[in-house]
Amino acid sequence: MPNTIKIRVPGTTANCGPGFDTVGIACTIYNDLELTLSDESGISLNVTGEGAGFIPSDESNVVVKAIKMILTKTGYKAKGIKLSMVNNIPLARGLGSSAAAIVGGLVGANELTGGHFTKDDILNMATAIEGHPDNVAPAIFGGITVSIMDSGTANYLRFLPPQDFSMVAVIPEFNLSTKAARKVLPETVPYADAVFNVSRASLLIGALCTGELKLLSHALQDRLHQPYREKLIPGMAQVLAAARQTGALGATLSGAGPCLLAFATNDADEIGKAMVKAFNIHKVKASYQILQIDQQGAVVI
Ligand code: HSE
């Protein structure tokens, strides 16, 4: 059995407006992870790109946590873990960097220890570490995923839309932890807001499945998390409005933010520029990337 493996994992955008903790899309932005289970004891970590100099090399690192979960479950004895990461997914911005780390660790360690676990098992393990399945599911399976927890088990639907679209991800310079972005959410919401989200989330999946993308302007509306998170992201409403005014099909917070995401079939560059400009008006530096749907999810390279 080889003791080194390289895994490529896509970034993801979760929630997609109303699909809080449920809907996710794999995006064409990637982290590469080389994992060696070695005879030399200890954890060694080498990071290039996003997070270099910040990512911890101890047990608090989610990649290490994920690898150890596999080692414990299989009883595989490895003295040391050697990690080399090339990260393109910005950290703590709402593009699934922690899900990519978890999935990379689980998939890599599973391959190196005999491949005992299926992708569905990996989904359940990743969800146990991440806390919700919406980012880890598309990172594993690619495409668009709808994932739910039922009696402690993750169930999911994965599909590709019949019509192509781009996602314009506008990434502000500041980061926001998911923990902080969940802290501002209320314990309960008004019944009318719950109904509002059920209707939009249903329309969202219908629109994406059928390619009726013009419905996204309605289907990306949300009342469960975005109104509460707006105060954490200066200019959020204006940046989303700028996207719509420049021709986006719709625009939304990406995951827990602070990245904002517009869906577009045309004028992606113009939309990105208008969104960056709107952020700048609020004294927030930002850049944009035009992403497509990643269809493969995590792969061995
Ligand atoms: N569904 C999660 C949230 C995604 O919005 O908090 C971030 O990990």
Side-chain angles (χ1 to χ4, degrees):
M1 225 182 297
N3 69 345
T4 297
I5 197 152
K6 215 173 194 178
I7 307 292
R8 176 164 292 168
V9 192
T12 50
T13 180
N15 301 329
C16 303
F20 183 71
D21 277 0
T22 306
V23 179
I25 305 179
C27 304
T28 50
I29 182 169
Y30 301 95
N31 282 359
D32 289 348
L33 168 73
E34 188 177 285
L35 162 65
T36 304
L37 296 178
S38 79
D39 289 334
E40 287 167 45
S41 57
I43 300 166
S44 90
L45 176 70
N46 175 35
V47 181
T48 307
E50 299 289 337
F54 295 102
I55 295 179
S57 60
D58 57 20
E59 314 280 325
S60 67
N61 181 324
V62 281
V63 185
V64 175
K65 224 178 248 182
I67 294 164
K68 292 215 162 170
M69 186 180 256
I70 296 278
L71 298 182
T72 306
K73 282 184 189 285
T74 53
Y76 188 95
K77 301 272 175 258
K79 279 195 188 147
I81 295 171
K82 217 167 138 191
L83 293 170
S84 181
M85 299 155 84
V86 179
N87 291 345
N88 292 303
I89 307 168
L91 247 56
R93 302 292 164 80
L95 284 172
S97 59
S98 85
I102 294 165
V103 169
L106 289 171
V107 171
N110 186 43
E111 290 291 326
L112 289 182
T113 55
H116 295 289
F117 300 106
T118 63
K119 283 191 173 188
D120 285 28
D121 297 330
I122 301 277
L123 173 62
N124 279 291
M125 289 185 238
T127 304
I129 299 174
E130 176 87 328
H132 34 84
D134 51 340
N135 282 110
V136 292
I140 295 167
F141 301 109
I144 302 177
T145 57
V146 180
S147 34
I148 63 150
M149 297 304 293
D150 193 359
S151 309
T153 301
N155 294 269
Y156 70 95
L157 168 74
R158 181 245 183 227
F159 66 95
L160 292 172
Q163 201 193 321
D164 280 346
F165 56 82
S166 298
M167 292 169 285
V168 185
V170 179
I171 307 155
E173 263 193 359
F174 70 94
N175 53 28
L176 174 62
S177 73
T178 299
K179 199 173 167 196
R182 289 178 90 84
K183 229 178 175 170
V184 297
L185 303 180
E187 288 280 312
T188 59
V189 294
Y191 197 83
D193 288 357
V195 174
F196 182 97
N197 264 61
V198 169
S199 64
R200 269 61 177 184
S202 308
L203 191 63
L204 173 67
I205 298 309
L208 291 172
C209 280
T210 58
E212 293 284 332
L213 299 181
K214 63 180 185 305
L215 290 171
L216 289 182
S217 62
H218 310 289
L220 289 168
Q221 294 169 345
D222 155 70
R223 285 193 190 161
L224 288 191
H225 66 109
Q226 293 190 159
Y228 306 100
R229 288 172 163 171
E230 211 176 300
K231 59 179 174 244
L232 302 174
I233 302 162
M236 175 171 147
Q238 291 77 11
V239 177
L240 296 178
R244 289 187 284 262
Q245 283 153 15
T246 320
L249 297 159
T252 177
L253 187 63
S254 182
C259 176
L260 299 175
L261 195 90
F263 291 75
T265 42
N266 296 304
D267 303 326
D269 266 309
E270 286 69 22
I271 293 166
K273 285 176 194 157
M275 293 172 80
V276 166
K277 198 169 158 198
F279 254 138
N280 292 164
I281 290 170
H282 289 82
K283 304 202 180 341
V284 177
K285 286 188 185 159
S287 59
Y288 72 90
Q289 292 197 29
I290 299 170
L291 307 174
Q292 314 299 326
I293 299 181
D294 164 87
Q295 303 194 5
Q296 288 187 292
V299 286
V300 176
I301 53 173

